[in-house]
Amino acid sequence: MKTSSRNLLVNPMSGNVIVDLAGTTITDDESRLLAQPAVAGVILFARNVVDRQQVIQLVQSIRAVRQDLLITVDQEGGRVQRLVTGYTQLPAPCRLGELYQYEPEQASQLAEDLGWLMASEVIASGIDLSFAPVLDLGLPISQVIGSRAFAEQPEIVATLAHRYCLGMKQAGMATVGKHFPGHGSVAADTHHSIACDDRPFAAIKQADLLPFNSLIKQQLLDGMMPAHVLYPQVAAEPAGFSRYWLQAVLRESLGFSGVIFSDDLTMHAASQAGDYPSRAVQALNAGCQLLLVCNNPEGAQAVVSALNTHSEAEVNIEQLKGQRKLSWAELLEHPRRLTIHSQLENL
């Protein structure tokens, strides 16, 4: 199956599935799950986190099971920040958009600095990747996006996300844009409901797609996460299960050559694709390469079992691994970090 428009290096040890853990340590059952060949990585949630030292120990225990696993987290800032105690309290992205309205240069520089700081703290803990930045538009209709977006205006989202990505890359972290082709124009929360965006493609292209297109053209996105949103005037399937969205639009029209992650396949909006193995197969057939299966251990095992003997992996996990540049001790005394903290007090 062709899943990319470029030659991605094949890592035979890589699977397709990113799973989660129940608590702050790894159980024996979870160790056995992580050892299975279809598993590619782990995502950490707030329930897995006590403080910074515990996170570092948990990551070390994951790597003791398999060194090659990709360890990920959602560390956006604001209400989506999994690592809290011992970490910088990051502002919601919308605060940068608010600042941009009257201090665009300051907001842009702070976006770059926050991308660097977030990524530096995450990587210093041994975690490879935060799923960021959010490229959705912060329109009033969408409560699930809301403050997670930089702004309502696509041009401002593109500008601030550009600088945020630069900061992440300076710290040694790959970037993942979400939620393609845009989740900000629907009211429903795809975690709990079916979400439908009835606009024609032209309306989506001239608004929601602009930040994605801009960052792809600037080669700033290493990964992409599609939305579990249905756009019925464009395709019959939600974007994360749609070859039209992921192949014709994302790969061919926009020229994206990075890695495509699915959003969590246990979310209610993903139920349109059937049971968990069916969701995995449809996501892979559409063009997703790494599949998130979270908050349902039985569902995760069902997907892993279905893919163990027939992995579709065509992605080099190593290109997504964090490249540590600073230890925690170095980071705590780093002048850039100290300057950012003083700015956050004023923000």
Side-chain angles (χ1 to χ4, degrees):
M1 177 185 71
K2 182 180 180 182
T3 57
S4 173
S5 58
R6 72 170 179 175
N7 267 334
L8 291 174
L9 297 176
V10 176
N11 178 355
M13 296 299 293
S14 299
N16 294 101
V17 188
I18 296 176
V19 299
D20 60 342
L21 305 173
T24 56
T25 59
I26 300 178
T27 67
D28 290 341
D29 284 344
E30 288 169 343
S31 292
R32 285 188 284 272
L33 175 64
L34 297 184
Q36 297 185 54
V39 174
V42 177
I43 181 170
L44 301 181
F45 289 98
R47 65 173 179 270
N48 307 123
V49 175
V50 177
D51 55 31
R52 187 172 69 213
Q53 190 54 46
Q54 175 267 332
V55 169
I56 292 171
Q57 292 172 350
L58 177 59
V59 169
Q60 290 171 344
S61 66
I62 293 170
R63 301 239 182 259
V65 177
R66 268 181 56 194
Q67 188 66 32
D68 64 319
L69 292 173
L70 184 73
I71 303 179
T72 69
V73 71
D74 286 311
Q75 190 77 346
E76 300 171 10
R79 59 187 169 89
V80 182
Q81 177 166 342
R82 313 305 189 198
L83 312 175
V84 177
T85 303
Y87 297 86
T88 300
Q89 183 61 52
L90 301 166
C94 72
R95 297 301 305 279
L96 292 169
E98 294 165 2
L99 180 61
Y100 188 91
Q101 300 293 337
Y102 57 92
E103 291 286 355
E105 290 300 324
Q106 182 183 349
S108 298
Q109 183 59 54
L110 187 54
E112 185 173 325
D113 287 337
L114 287 172
W116 173 84
L117 180 58
M118 178 281 290
S120 295
E121 291 190 351
V122 169
I123 292 174
S125 302
I127 299 169
D128 296 302
L129 185 68
S130 171
F131 291 111
V134 171
L135 300 180
D136 303 308
L137 307 184
L139 300 170
I141 190 174
S142 179
Q143 295 301 309
V144 69
I145 300 301
S147 63
R148 298 168 65 189
F150 288 109
E152 293 185 30
Q153 302 88 346
E155 296 82 7
I156 297 177
V157 173
T159 297
L160 293 175
H162 176 181
R163 297 295 292 273
Y164 196 88
C165 286
L166 290 179
M168 291 175 66
K169 288 180 175 293
Q170 290 160 14
M173 182 177 285
T175 59
V176 180
K178 60 185 184 184
H179 305 83
F180 177 83
H183 198 313
S185 296
V186 291
D189 180 348
T190 49
H191 292 86
H192 310 294
S193 308
I194 302 297
C196 184
D197 186 335
D198 283 319
R199 293 175 302 158
F201 181 80
I204 299 168
K205 181 179 179 180
Q206 65 187 12
D208 304 63
L209 269 179
L210 282 178
F212 296 96
N213 189 26
S214 176
L215 268 67
I216 290 169
K217 285 183 176 178
Q218 297 169 74
Q219 299 184 328
L220 285 172
L221 293 178
D222 303 293
M224 191 74 75
M225 181 179 289
H228 287 319
V229 174
L230 180 64
Y231 307 85
Q233 292 203 49
V234 183
E237 312 86 4
F241 301 105
S242 167
R243 287 189 62 83
Y244 179 78
W245 276 116
L246 300 187
Q247 301 296 333
V249 179
L250 182 58
R251 293 292 194 201
E252 296 169 18
S253 179
L254 300 186
F256 178 68
S257 60
V259 177
I260 303 178
F261 294 80
S262 80
D263 205 346
D264 181 8
L265 294 182
T266 70
M267 290 164 62
H268 182 73
S271 65
Q272 300 168 86
D275 62 14
Y276 294 119
S278 297
R279 299 178 200 185
V281 170
Q282 289 189 48
L284 288 168
N285 286 342
C288 291
Q289 295 158 290
L290 292 173
L291 313 176
L292 285 158
V293 189
C294 315
N295 302 307
N296 189 313
E298 294 78 15
Q301 184 58 69
V303 170
V304 169
S305 297
L307 297 182
N308 269 338
T309 57
H310 184 61
S311 176
E312 298 283 348
E314 288 190 30
V315 57
N316 177 14
I317 295 294
E318 291 303 313
Q319 69 185 339
L320 299 169
K321 290 288 189 75
Q323 306 298 316
R324 182 182 299 192
K325 300 187 177 181
L326 296 169
S327 68
W328 262 110
E330 293 168 329
L331 182 58
L332 290 175
E333 301 300 325
H334 198 283
R336 189 175 185 182
R337 182 180 186 273
L338 298 175
T339 299
I340 296 168
H341 273 234
S342 66
Q343 290 179 303
L344 292 181
E345 291 177 6
N346 297 328
L347 185 64

